[in-house]
Each structure stands twice: as structure tokens, then as C-alpha cells.
Amino acid sequence: MSQYDALWKYIKEQNQNEIRLTFFKIEEIIHSPMKHSFLTYKKDLLAYGYNVKKISLKEKWVLFQKNGK
């Protein structure tokens, strides 16, 4: 179990083709600061039917996309 499991569940519950979340919103969901380990754990999101499409470090958001869309 990773600190990002709550985030993966949140994304799946939204049931949207794409969802963009700010770093702040992600930190709210996981109750912790976002860390570089996010890049390692993002592959776990595939089991929830989504993937990370884009990360904007400048604007501080992550775009998630439903697999196959």
C-alpha cells in the first residue's frame, strides 16, 4: 500500500476520461506533501484504469487519462 492509494481511488471514482488535479489538491487527497516518489508510484494507477498523461511542474498540475481514451 502506498501513500497514493487514496489518490488512485479518488481518480477512479471521478469516472472521467481526463481529470486534471493541482499539486495542492493531490496533497489534500493524500494528506501529505507530494514527493518525487510520485513518479515511481504512478505506474500503480494502471490497475485503476488510468494513467498519468502529463505533469506540469511549472503550473503544478497533473493530467490523468482513462486507459484506452
Side-chain angles (χ1 to χ4, degrees):
M1 183 170 183
S2 82
Q3 76 180 70
Y4 297 102
D5 286 343
L7 176 60
W8 309 151
K9 290 175 186 172
Y10 175 87
I11 292 167
K12 185 176 181 178
E13 289 171 359
Q14 302 312 300
N15 196 29
Q16 297 177 17
N17 289 335
E18 289 188 342
I19 182 169
R20 188 171 83 171
L21 299 175
T22 63
F23 288 5
F24 180 78
K25 181 64 176 176
I26 291 170
E27 290 172 349
E28 272 187 346
I29 295 167
I30 65 173
H31 305 289
S32 177
M34 221 172 124
K35 299 177 185 165
H36 190 268
S37 66
F38 176 81
L39 298 174
T40 301
Y41 287 104
K42 70 179 187 171
K43 68 184 182 320
D44 296 343
L45 180 58
L46 293 172
Y48 291 83
Y50 284 82
N51 62 72
V52 174
K53 183 174 181 182
K54 184 174 182 177
I55 300 172
S56 174
L57 297 176
K58 181 179 178 183
E59 297 177 13
K60 298 185 178 184
W61 53 259
V62 181
L63 180 64
F64 302 93
Q65 183 179 45
K66 193 178 263 193
N67 294 339
K69 298 291 176 188

